[in-house]
């Protein structure tokens, strides 16, 4: 497995792939890899002739400096996992490579980022848009793989690709969960034992709410009861629990089976902020 640090090291390989008509898959990550990331990798290995994974903890997408400082890192272990998985190359750039100077361009995704993650983490999607644009230009993948776990990010990247005409196809992979339902996340590593148990409240609320919605209960009442549940539980703090149309990310007041809908949740468990979501219909 090739480990590269600069776009210049990548260029000759990219040209060779083009000349030999090989398709290239990119899996962008921030490292601290888990089985969810490896599902994206497997999908790329299945669909593409050559797979490159990027590992870069992108400073511009962190609105909270402490979250950035404490973001888990385990490069050696990550490289081992990727080698075992059969990945062809890993791109591990430095901050200076990705941001030779402070970016002066900012990206605003309009209504897509006025809600949920965009509203609670100002500037987050600007950072995501910048780093994904840079990675697409540097790596030039045919297909890029993203997780449904970050549902709003998926909508943002679809918009980015369509508005900037990136010649990249997007492939969205379902959320990988622990046996008890907790969505896998690098941030789960920071949870203590009791917090790990508490964190299940996100998945349980999503599952219960979905059942009730499909039985015909009103969204308002469901949302209120989840908010009350979080208020009563010590050690957790809800940012949002919202029903959305999952392409334009419009907030919904009620469930209509004709509208592609998902429930999205974000909450703090202690100091650690977790997100999850669940589709209600296909
Ligand atoms: P991250 O390293 O957290 O930036 O995630 C890198 C990619 O992996 C993103 O496209 C995420 O949506 C995806 N991802 C993270 N967690 C999961 C999961 N539990 N299941 C599937 N994909 C995931």
């Amino acid at each position: 497995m090739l480990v590269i640090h600069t776009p210049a090291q990548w260029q000759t390989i990219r040209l060779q792939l083009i000349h030999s008509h090989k398709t290239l898959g990119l899996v962008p990550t921030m490292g601290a890899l888990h089985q969810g990331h490896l599902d994206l990798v497997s999908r790329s290995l299945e669909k593409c002739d050559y797979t490159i994974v990027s590992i870069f903890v992108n400073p511009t997408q962190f609105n909270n400096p402490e979250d950035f400082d404490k973001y888990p890192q385990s490069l050696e272990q990550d490289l081992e996992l990727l080698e075992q998985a059969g990945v062809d190359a890993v791109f591990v750039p430095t901050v200076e490579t990705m941001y030779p100077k402070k970016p002066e361009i900012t990206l605003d995704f309009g209504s897509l980022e006025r809600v949920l993650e965009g509203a609670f983490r100002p500037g987050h999607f600007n950072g995501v848009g910048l780093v994904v644009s840079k990675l697409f230009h540097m790596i030039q993948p045919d297909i890029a793989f993203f997780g449904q776990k970050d549902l709003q990010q998926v909508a943002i990247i679809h918009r980015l690709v369509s508005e900037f005409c990136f010649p990249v196809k997007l492939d969205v992979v379902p959320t990988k969960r622990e046996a008890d339902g907790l969505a896998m996340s690098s941030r789960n590593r920071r949870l203590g034992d009791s917090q790990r148990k508490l964190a299940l409240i996100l998945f349980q609320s999503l599952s219960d709410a979905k059942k009730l919605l499909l039985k015909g209960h009103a969204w308002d009442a469901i949302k209120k009861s989840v908010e009350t549940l979080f208020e009563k539980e010590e050690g957790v703090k809800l940012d949002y629990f919202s029903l959305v149309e999952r392409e334009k990310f419009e907030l919904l007041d009620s469930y209509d089976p004709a509208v592609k809908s998902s429930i999205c949740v974000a909450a703090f468990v202690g100091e650690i902020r977790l997100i999850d979501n669940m589709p209600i219909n296909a």
Side-chain angles (χ1 to χ4, degrees):
M1 185 177 74
L2 194 68
V3 179
I4 55 170
H5 302 279
T6 65
Q9 291 171 308
W10 174 243
Q11 269 322 302
T12 36
I13 300 156
R14 184 63 189 112
L15 287 175
Q16 283 164 8
L17 292 173
I18 292 170
H19 286 139
S20 49
H21 303 283
K22 296 226 160 106
T23 54
L24 172 65
L26 167 67
V27 181
T29 81
M30 298 204 296
L33 301 181
H34 50 69
Q35 192 55 48
H37 295 114
L38 295 179
D39 278 9
L40 272 63
V41 166
S42 305
R43 185 87 83 114
S44 176
L45 291 168
E46 260 167 45
K47 288 201 164 178
C48 302
D49 299 317
Y50 194 102
T51 292
I52 182 166
V53 174
S54 62
I55 297 180
F56 178 63
V57 184
N58 174 36
T60 61
Q61 72 185 71
F62 285 82
N63 54 317
N64 174 351
E66 196 186 324
D67 187 27
F68 176 65
D69 290 340
K70 295 198 169 161
Y71 198 83
Q73 299 204 42
S74 52
L75 184 59
E76 242 175 72
Q77 198 189 330
D78 292 351
L79 294 178
E80 264 172 43
L81 284 172
L82 295 175
E83 177 128 48
Q84 279 164 19
V87 163
D88 299 286
V90 186
F91 179 47
V92 193
T94 60
V95 173
E96 291 68 34
T97 297
M98 296 304 280
Y99 297 102
K101 56 182 189 143
K102 196 170 177 287
E104 286 182 27
I105 292 176
T106 50
L107 297 171
D108 185 319
F109 292 87
S111 59
L112 263 187
E113 67 159 274
R114 300 284 174 264
V115 295
L116 310 187
E117 288 305 279
F120 279 85
R121 301 183 66 189
H124 170 64
F125 287 125
N126 168 52
V128 169
L130 287 175
V131 79
V132 170
S133 302
K134 285 169 184 267
L135 286 170
F136 284 179
H137 282 304
M138 290 173 176
I139 306 295
Q140 298 168 35
D142 297 299
I143 310 183
F145 295 82
F146 291 91
Q148 210 173 53
K149 156 87 170 28
D150 297 278
L151 192 66
Q152 194 171 8
Q153 172 172 284
V154 167
I156 291 277
I157 293 167
H158 271 115
R159 182 69 58 84
L160 185 80
V161 164
S162 109
E163 292 212 9
F164 284 149
C165 310
F166 279 108
V168 179
K169 283 202 189 100
L170 301 179
D171 192 296
V172 180
V173 179
T175 302
K176 181 81 180 173
R177 299 181 178 281
E178 302 287 355
D180 62 3
L182 178 70
M184 289 190 183
S185 163
S186 304
R187 288 185 176 87
N188 293 352
R189 291 192 191 183
R190 295 184 54 206
L191 298 170
D193 287 349
S194 58
Q195 289 176 328
R196 169 65 184 78
K197 283 181 197 137
L198 268 181
L200 209 53
I201 191 173
L202 280 85
F203 174 70
Q204 272 163 357
S205 308
L206 289 172
S207 313
D208 293 347
K210 176 174 178 171
K211 271 187 217 144
L212 291 172
L213 256 191
L214 292 175
K215 273 191 194 163
H217 290 239
W219 172 248
D220 250 16
I222 296 172
K223 183 179 161 86
K224 264 192 202 112
S225 75
V226 168
E227 286 169 352
T228 311
L229 182 76
F230 272 82
E231 272 160 28
K232 281 189 189 152
E233 194 70 67
E234 217 175 296
V236 296
K237 190 186 134 303
L238 186 65
D239 264 357
Y240 58 78
F241 190 82
S242 301
L243 182 66
V244 296
E245 186 285 322
R246 67 173 162 266
E247 277 163 18
K248 292 194 183 137
F249 258 80
E250 281 160 2
L251 296 181
L252 303 172
D253 295 331
S254 60
Y255 174 56
D256 173 354
V259 177
K260 287 182 183 172
S261 309
S262 289
I263 309 174
C264 297
V265 61
F268 282 91
V269 177
E271 300 291 301
I272 301 134
R273 189 171 181 279
L274 302 176
I275 61 170
D276 198 354
N277 66 85
M278 193 168 280
I280 306 303
N281 50 6

